[in-house]
Amino acid sequence: MATVEVTFTPLPVHVRTARLVATAVARRSGVAESLLDEVRLAVGEACSRAVEAHQRHCPTEPIRVSLTDDGEQFQVVVTDAAPGSERDLPAGTGLMAHGRPAGARAEGGNGHGPGADLVFSEESAAPRESAAPRESTAPQESAVPLRLPDDVGLAVIAGLADDVRIGPAGPGTSVTMIWKRRTASY
């Protein structure tokens, strides 16, 4: 089992480096060319999320990325040290690797296997008051939100990897992304 570990300071500029390293290790590990973009995007999302949490809570602590190939699957674990970053999810949103509570379910993965369950409670799926149109005579500066909700990045990750697990890791959170080996079908 080959493992590559990378640590980097929580600066947005280093996310690109983490993506490039993950793509190179995935390619060298034999991950199908057709999945390399998915690996790059998912690792970028996970690292960006970790950088944002670190900049708020612990800007001097490094972010850790572990890339492992065991012959059957390629696994990337992005671990942050930000206290409570898993709990920084919007109210009513939960991430689960096992179990299926009531609520909407979004399957992760790229259509080739089960992914993480990203569960939004009915409360979080309901329209928020801020989403209601405003009645104002003043022209609106922008109808497009300037920032997406935090859980959007997790939904993107869940849609790119075959399996995603989010859990506590010391004071912070680890995001584990797995791509299973597949034989080419012609």
Side-chain angles (χ1 to χ4, degrees):
M1 178 184 320
T3 300
V4 174
E5 292 186 5
V6 177
T7 59
F8 64 93
T9 54
L11 297 172
V13 68
H14 296 306
V15 171
R16 180 175 188 262
T17 303
R19 287 191 331 236
L20 291 171
V21 168
T23 304
V25 173
R27 179 177 284 124
R28 184 131 186 152
S29 296
V31 172
E33 278 298 312
S34 61
L35 296 177
L36 294 179
D37 282 340
E38 295 178 10
V39 170
R40 185 177 63 245
L41 288 170
V43 170
E45 283 294 328
C47 288
S48 293
R49 187 174 184 278
V51 165
E52 188 174 336
H54 273 240
Q55 287 182 336
R56 276 184 283 160
H57 299 287
C58 53
T60 60
E61 293 292 320
I63 294 166
R64 301 188 188 293
V65 181
S66 172
L67 306 115
T68 305
D69 173 33
D70 71 1
E72 294 182 22
Q73 63 186 21
F74 178 68
Q75 174 178 293
V76 180
V77 180
V78 177
T79 306
D80 68 55
S85 55
E86 181 183 46
R87 292 176 293 277
D88 286 345
L89 293 171
T93 303
L95 291 163
M96 305 184 71
H98 307 289
R100 306 231 185 322
R105 179 175 169 220
E107 277 195 20
N110 51 21
H112 298 288
D117 295 325
L118 181 57
V119 180
F120 298 91
S121 72
E122 291 178 15
E123 174 186 317
S124 68
R128 296 184 179 137
E129 288 181 34
S130 62
R134 296 180 195 165
E135 293 183 26
S136 172
T137 57
Q140 287 185 331
E141 291 180 24
S142 173
V144 177
L146 298 177
R147 186 169 186 274
L148 293 172
D150 292 335
D151 54 338
V152 169
L154 295 172
V156 168
I157 294 168
L160 294 169
D162 291 329
D163 190 15
V164 176
R165 298 177 193 140
I166 294 122
T173 302
S174 71
V175 177
T176 302
M177 301 159 280
I178 297 172
W179 289 268
K180 296 183 178 18
R181 285 278 201 285
R182 297 187 228 357
T183 57
S185 57
Y186 296 98

